[in-house]
Amino acid sequence: MTGPPMIDGAFARWLASRAGQALLDLRTEMGFADAGALKSAGDKVSHDLIRTELAKWRPGDAVLSEEDEGSRLAWAAEVNTGAVSRLTADRVWIIDPLDGTREFSEEGRSDWAVHVALWARSAPSPHGLVAGAVGLPAQHRVLGTDYPPAYPPMTVEAATAGERKIRLAASRSRPPVFLTDLAEDVGAHLVPMGSAGAKIAAVVTGEVDAYIHAGGQYEWDSAAPVAVATATGLHASRIDGSALRYNEADPRLPDLLVCRKDLATRLLAALQRHSG
C-alpha cells in the first residue's frame, strides 16, 4: 500500500497503528534504564510521526496535539481566531501522541495508548467527534470507530445473580478523592489502571463497567476514547450529566463518566451525592 486509507475512521486507525509501532520500537531501542529520557523521546517520536502524516494526507485540517506549543492555553472569546486556526476550522484532529507516559516508561506495562480523533463542525452529536482510534500498542490492538467493538457483555455476576457488581476503572496515581466513598455507596470495587485511554478502552471491551475521572484532563486525554466508546453504544458525559464538548477555546475538559448505559442513571446519581 502506497498510502493510508482515505476514509477518516480507517485513517485514524492507520495513524494510531503507525505511531504505536514506532513507540514499541523506541522502547526496544532505548530500554528502561532512563525513564525520563524514554518518556521525552516517546512523546516526540509519536507526535512528529502523526504531525508529519497529517500534514501529508490531511493538509487542510487543523490539529490540536498535547505536544503542540501552547496547546494548554485557554483562548479568550475575543481572541483573534486567525491566530488559532482550529477555532474556525471545519475539521480538527485531536491527538494525544502518548497517553500514559509513566506506564510507557515502565517495563512490562501495557496500559498506555495512542489517541487519534477527528472533530467536525458538521457532526450531529454534541461532542462533535466523527472518527477516532485508540492504539494500545503493547496489547497489540487498536480500537476504532471504523469497526467499533460490540457492546460489552454483562459480567458473570450480573448474568448469574441478577444484579451487577460494578467494576470501576481507577487511576493508579490520581483517583478522585471521593471515588472510594462512591464505590462503597454503589457496591463497586476499584480496578487500578494507567492511562485514560487504557481505562476507557477497558470499558469498551467489558473488562470494567465504568470509568470516572474528576482530577483534571484536557481534550486530547479523552477525545479518541470517547469517540470509540460512543460508537460502541456506551454512555459518555461530564460527571454532572452534561455533554462532553471538544474543540473548545479552553481545551481543559476536567471530568467525565464513561460507562454502560444501564449504569449511567445510577452512577450519575451517586456522583451528585459524592462529587460536590
Side-chain angles (χ1 to χ4, degrees), residues 9-215:
F11 179 68
R13 181 185 292 272
W14 179 83
L15 267 183
S17 299
R18 288 279 316 278
Q21 187 58 56
L23 288 166
L24 289 174
D25 293 345
L26 182 68
R27 263 182 149 191
T28 300
E29 177 187 339
M30 292 187 65
F32 299 90
D34 188 339
L38 182 58
K39 291 176 185 178
S40 296
D43 279 331
K44 178 173 173 50
V45 163
S46 185
H47 172 79
D48 288 351
L49 184 154
I50 293 171
R51 269 294 201 170
T52 297
E53 298 296 350
L54 285 172
K56 179 178 182 180
W57 299 105
R58 296 293 192 275
D61 295 350
V63 181
L64 171 62
S65 170
E66 179 183 16
E67 298 305 313
D68 286 332
E69 184 178 357
S71 62
R72 288 170 170 77
L73 293 178
W75 298 95
E78 64 271 14
V79 73
N80 175 10
T81 54
V84 192
S85 61
R86 70 178 180 84
L87 296 181
T88 55
D90 290 329
R91 291 164 47 97
V92 181
W93 293 90
I94 303 175
I95 307 299
D96 192 341
L98 175 52
D99 181 54
T101 52
R102 174 180 173 181
E103 289 73 25
F104 172 74
S105 70
E106 295 178 9
E107 188 171 7
R109 295 208 69 96
S110 62
D111 48 348
W112 51 277
V114 177
H115 297 179
V116 179
L118 175 62
W119 173 94
R121 193 171 302 280
S122 61
S125 62
H127 61 46
L129 302 170
V130 295
V134 178
L136 300 159
Q139 299 177 32
H140 306 291
R141 59 179 173 170
V142 180
L143 306 178
T145 56
D146 56 335
Y147 294 104
Y151 195 82
M154 294 177 69
T155 64
V156 172
E157 295 94 331
T160 59
E163 60 183 30
R164 181 172 304 282
K165 185 173 179 62
I166 301 172
R167 301 157 298 171
L168 290 178
S171 171
R172 295 173 63 205
S173 55
R174 300 186 303 275
V177 294
F178 60 81
L179 197 57
T180 300
D181 290 341
L182 183 146
E184 184 176 349
D185 182 3
V186 299
H189 68 270
L190 303 181
V191 182
M193 293 184 183
S195 77
K199 289 192 278 285
I200 298 175
V203 184
V204 170
T205 59
E207 296 162 64
V208 297
D209 298 303
Y211 169 49
I212 295 169
H213 183 82

